[in-house]
């Protein structure tokens, strides 16, 4: 589970940042080492929930980068 710092960062993130972080976390979900994939799946859920809370649809056209900003 992400630390409290994760939630502070989430609260102050811009919508474009959230979209990028979501795409990067999604791209990192396939990682199998040290629960990294599971942590990133959780991050995807949290980013998606935050975007929905803000009334912003998820932009699935954004290509993420493995281990990019926002992945855990």
């Amino acid at each position: 589970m992400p630390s409290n710092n994760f939630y502070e960062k989430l609260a102050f993130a811009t919508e474009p940042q959230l979209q990028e972080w979501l795409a990067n976390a999604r791209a990192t979900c396939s990682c199998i080492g040290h629960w990294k994939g599971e942590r990133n799946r959780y991050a995807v859920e949290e980013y998606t929930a935050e975007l929905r809370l803000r009334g912003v649809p998820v932009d699935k056209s954004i290509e993420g980068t493995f281990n990019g900003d926002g992945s855990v």
Side-chain angles (χ1 to χ4, degrees), residues 6-71:
F6 175 87
Y7 292 105
E8 290 171 19
K9 187 176 170 183
L10 189 66
F12 293 103
T14 64
E15 290 157 10
Q17 282 176 313
L18 287 169
Q19 297 282 8
E20 178 188 357
W21 296 348
L22 172 60
N24 291 340
R26 198 172 33 235
T28 311
C29 281
S30 63
C31 186
I32 59 172
H34 304 287
W35 300 99
K36 189 175 185 97
E38 286 79 9
R39 290 193 322 263
N40 278 286
R41 277 189 279 286
Y42 182 79
V44 166
E45 291 174 12
E46 292 299 311
Y47 296 143
T48 301
E50 182 64 23
L51 285 166
R52 285 187 181 145
L53 228 146
R54 297 180 186 194
V56 178
V58 171
D59 184 351
K60 294 183 179 183
S61 70
I62 299 172
E63 286 191 42
T65 303
F66 185 81
N67 281 340
D69 287 342
S71 65

